[in-house]
Every structure is written in C-alpha cells, then in structure tokens.
Amino acid sequence: QVQLVESGGGSVQAGGSLRLSCTASRHTFSRTAIGWFRQAPGKEREFVAAISWTGAYTNYADSLKGRFSISRDAMNTVYLQMSSLKPEDAAVYYCAESSSWTSTVATEYGYWGQGTQVTVSS
C-alpha cells in the first residue's frame, strides 16, 4: 500500500510562512508527478501546484503562483513553501500522485496522503 505522508502544517499568523513536506517510498515517486491540493470547510478540493517526476516541470494555480513554491529533492520528498499566508489559505493540504504534472484535476490523481492542517489567524 502506497502511503504518502504530509507534514509541516500548523498555526501561523497572517503574513507568516510554512513549508509542507510530502514523503513516500522511492518507488512511489519514480516516474510519477506529485501535486498539492487543499480543501477548506464547505469548499471544493482546490489544485495548488504540481511537479514532474524529475522536478524539471512545475505547475501552479494562477492565484497562488507568486506566494507558493513547489520543489522536490533527489529522492523521496516534495515540498510546498508557502509565504505571505492569508486567512483564506487555511485548509487541509494534501499531496497526491499522478501520471502527469500537467493535471490539475483531483480525479486524475491516485494515491493521496492523509492531509495536514494549516490554520492562519488574522
């Protein structure tokens, strides 16, 4: 069973920063894209960013491109650096696996992590 694990969530003041991490087995990340999604209460699950299996290509939601940055290391970890956080960014953040880094649709992602909560106070 593939187990993607998010970490790094927490509570921050508006304007603060957090870095989320997504880890999985080396085999899981091999030749797969990883995406980040978020879901706030009462809202649809929203695409945040994705990265290709090599890390050569990235894709961002237009509204987040300036504040959020996705990256991956040489092995097992994908990161989401979040800066200048706003109360509207509060959500559960999920990482997930897809065959294509260009995908922004949640249904095109297979394995999902358990999510990590981000809370932003004004």
Side-chain angles (χ1 to χ4, degrees):
Q1 181 71 31
V2 176
Q3 293 179 303
L4 301 175
V5 179
E6 303 95 334
S7 62
S11 299
V12 298
Q13 301 262 21
S17 298
L18 284 174
R19 185 175 69 250
L20 308 183
S21 299
C22 174
T23 60
S25 69
R26 181 70 188 92
H27 221 79
T28 299
F29 280 180
S30 295
R31 298 187 178 274
T32 65
I34 299 294
W36 286 96
F37 289 76
R38 68 185 186 182
Q39 189 163 25
K43 301 291 187 180
E44 297 288 320
R45 190 161 295 189
E46 176 188 19
F47 172 75
V48 174
I51 190 165
S52 64
W53 73 274
T54 64
Y57 303 100
T58 59
N59 188 24
Y60 296 92
D62 288 341
S63 62
L64 303 176
K65 189 178 297 182
R67 296 188 295 117
F68 288 17
S69 179
I70 190 171
S71 61
R72 72 189 303 166
D73 65 18
M75 294 188 70
N76 297 338
T77 305
V78 174
Y79 304 95
L80 183 70
Q81 178 68 49
M82 307 185 295
S83 301
S84 301
L85 284 164
K86 305 176 183 298
E88 67 191 76
D89 295 319
V92 177
Y93 284 72
Y94 300 90
C95 66
E97 175 271 340
S98 175
S99 62
S100 176
W101 63 274
T102 64
S103 178
T104 63
V105 180
T107 55
E108 295 180 356
Y109 287 76
Y111 298 105
W112 291 78
Q114 82 290 345
T116 186
Q117 178 74 55
V118 173
T119 302
V120 185
S121 59
S122 60

